[in-house]
Amino acid sequence: MLSNEMQERVERAVSLFKSGYNCSQSVVAAFADLYGVEEQQALRMSASFGGGIGRMRQTCGAACGMFMLAGLDCGTTDPKDREAKSHNYAVVQELARQFKETTGSLICGELLGLIQPEGSPQAEARTPEYYQKRPCSFMVETAAKLFAEYVENKKQ
């Protein structure tokens, strides 16, 4: 069970997505302040990862956002610190495993049920129909919840 603070962050991520931010931005912006990152900077640094990285339908943007947060949490700045690198990679791999276990895939196109990527960089209009046909709110909620659980488990 998540704390109230973490549950509010999960809800904020979904709200950000439903207000028009992409999946990656929504996850990152909901937690970035925990690491001293201002919202505008969080939104910019995660902007390119929506739609499965630049709308190419590759790795899910919500998952990418979760991985960016893991970097903020335990990424290393020392290029020779193999132990810290390995720890960060282990955290990312575990988050990826949990995301895939919950959603069925890490690949945006698969999550959307696409036979092939659309091939267009054009962002879709956010309409009620868009939200009905896309499972992205669930992906955002899942990534945010998994990261919230990770943060809470670290405190214990």
Side-chain angles (χ1 to χ4, degrees), residues 12 16-17 20-32 37-55 59-69 72 126:
R12 182 160 187 270
L16 286 166
F17 180 74
Y21 290 104
N22 75 36
C23 46
S24 189
Q25 289 175 307
S26 301
V27 173
V28 174
F31 294 89
V37 177
E38 293 181 18
E39 184 171 279
Q40 290 299 310
Q41 185 178 23
L43 292 168
R44 283 197 174 115
M45 72 182 210
S46 55
S48 300
F49 294 89
I53 307 174
R55 205 167 183 272
T59 305
C60 171
C64 288
M66 181 175 61
F67 304 149
M68 279 189 267
L69 290 168
L72 289 172
R126 297 293 182 88

Side-chain angles (χ1 to χ4, degrees), residues 43-112:
L43 292 168
R44 283 197 174 115
M45 72 182 210
S46 55
S48 300
F49 294 89
I53 307 174
R55 205 167 183 272
M56 293 185 293
R57 307 304 186 203
Q58 299 298 314
T59 305
C60 171
C64 288
M66 181 175 61
F67 304 149
M68 279 189 267
L69 290 168
L72 289 172
D73 184 75
C74 64
T76 182
T77 57
D78 180 351
K80 294 182 171 102
D81 190 345
R82 290 179 50 227
E83 186 176 323
K85 283 182 186 181
S86 297
H87 173 71
N88 176 251
Y89 295 158
V91 168
V92 169
Q93 288 179 15
E94 177 58 20
L95 289 169
R97 184 196 66 74
Q98 292 175 24
F99 186 88
K100 187 174 181 180
E101 182 179 283
T102 302
T103 65
S105 182
L106 280 168
I107 306 302
C108 175
E110 291 174 7
L111 294 167
L112 295 177

